[in-house]
Amino acid sequence: MGLCLPCMGGAVKDVVETPDPEVKRRQLAEAAEKRQMEASSRGIKNIQSVEQKKKKQEEIEKRIAASGSGGGGGGLRWQVG
């Protein structure tokens, strides 16, 4: 009959302490960041080359935006009339 209940001395060792909210929040943030990195690199063999291409494309877009807003000499113009 006494086999149904565990010994009280062993039950104390089995209790798992939950981490405080700050530690848990930090762990969840790290896990989410890890998942995002894995998802963003899925299917890409060379991540660095993709990042370089993205930076280069952003620089080109910035140059176009800077040259287009400087006076509008070479852009398209609408003519009404």
Side-chain angles (χ1 to χ4, degrees), residues 40-67:
S40 67
S41 65
R42 186 175 295 143
I44 301 173
K45 292 182 181 179
N46 192 354
I47 298 170
Q48 290 146 351
S49 68
V50 173
E51 291 175 359
Q52 289 175 353
K53 288 179 184 179
K54 187 183 291 185
K55 287 180 183 179
K56 189 174 182 180
Q57 183 66 28
E58 289 174 359
E59 288 177 11
I60 292 171
E61 290 174 1
K62 286 180 183 178
R63 288 181 189 164
I64 292 172
S67 66

Side-chain angles (χ1 to χ4, degrees), residues 14-20:
D14 294 337
V15 174
V16 177
E17 293 184 31
T18 57
D20 62 358

